Amino acid sequence: MFNIVVCVKAVPDPKEACNIKIDPDTKTLLRCEVPLVLNPLDKNAMEAALQLKTQLDAHITALSMGPPEADNIVKECLALGADQGFLLCDPAFGGADAYATAFTLAKGIEKIGAFDLILCGMASSDGSTEWVGPEIATFLNIPVVTMVKEIVEFDKAWWKVKASLEDGYRIMQVKLPAVFTVTRDLNTPRTLSFSGIIKARKKEM
């Protein structure tokens, strides 16, 4: 079985940006004030996993770190076609920066067990550091390719991908397990279906 982990994040709904507030003491977002949605680039990561699932007979795990209400975005991933989902949730994670987030996700991935490929959106709409994916790879001591715009070739060990650069692209060959952070050029994410929502009720979170 080929195992894919997709790291996803619940972010404040951009449509409600005018209502976003900052805690004056902690300087963190008051997420309870605004509905949370699945980070847009993480939808591309999930779509990539779903396309690979049909070609590789893959098992997809959706993994997120966030407050209890972030469980809805994990459930959304299950409805899209992920096989299982995990939400890492603890008050100690509140206000975590990219480093702490990557460390926590990496520990979660280690706890889950077997993995061949980890997919992340290139950046989150509320942070845009682009650091979490590479830092996960560093904690797990595996290769990373950032800004992947096309998966060119793949087999069970070596993959060839096209990654964006400021003035063009580069072709990278990488041995799995590895982390890929993806751009919106990689695909067009699918929308939720009623049948997917029904099937998700029987899946493990």
Side-chain angles (χ1 to χ4, degrees), residues 2-204:
F2 190 85
N3 292 289
I4 303 174
V5 176
V6 184
C7 296
V8 297
K9 184 178 183 182
V11 297
D13 189 342
K15 297 176 183 177
E16 301 286 337
C18 59
N19 295 321
I20 294 176
K21 298 177 182 178
I22 304 293
D23 187 302
D25 297 320
T26 63
K27 309 302 181 187
T28 58
L29 290 175
L30 293 172
R31 298 178 186 271
C32 60
E33 302 288 327
V34 178
L36 297 177
V37 297
L38 180 57
N39 179 54
L41 282 169
D42 295 343
K43 292 183 180 181
N44 296 97
M46 181 57 62
E47 178 62 29
L50 294 170
Q51 292 179 13
L52 289 168
K53 180 177 181 176
T54 61
Q55 302 174 71
L56 295 171
D57 187 29
H59 182 274
I60 301 174
T61 299
L63 173 66
S64 186
M65 183 190 93
E69 49 273 24
D71 65 348
N72 286 329
I73 66 119
V74 179
K75 291 176 182 176
E76 181 177 342
C77 293
L78 294 174
L80 286 168
D83 298 291
Q84 64 177 356
F86 292 92
L87 174 64
L88 307 178
C89 185
D90 192 284
F93 302 154
D97 60 8
Y99 183 90
T101 299
F103 178 82
T104 305
L105 291 171
K107 289 300 180 184
I109 292 167
E110 289 179 342
K111 185 71 173 178
I112 290 167
F115 61 91
D116 298 290
L117 180 64
I118 300 168
L119 296 171
C120 311
M122 182 185 72
S124 64
S125 61
D126 63 344
S128 298
T129 65
E130 302 182 23
W131 293 348
V132 172
E135 289 178 334
I136 289 173
T138 299
F139 285 124
L140 296 176
N141 195 31
I142 58 175
V144 60
V145 182
T146 60
M147 301 179 69
V148 173
K149 62 182 293 184
E150 181 183 346
I151 297 174
V152 180
E153 295 178 10
F154 58 85
D155 59 30
K156 291 192 175 181
W158 288 92
W159 287 43
K160 186 179 291 185
V161 298
K162 182 183 290 186
S164 296
L165 292 174
E166 185 175 354
D167 298 313
Y169 64 87
R170 56 183 176 161
I171 298 292
M172 302 288 292
Q173 184 168 288
V174 60
K175 187 174 183 180
L176 300 188
V179 175
F180 295 164
T181 73
V182 308
T183 71
R184 61 177 50 87
D185 296 324
L186 182 61
N187 53 46
T188 300
R190 67 194 68 187
T191 56
L192 283 171
S193 66
F194 180 73
S195 62
I197 294 171
I198 296 301
K199 291 177 182 177
R201 295 176 180 174
K202 300 179 181 179
K203 295 180 180 178
E204 178 185 5

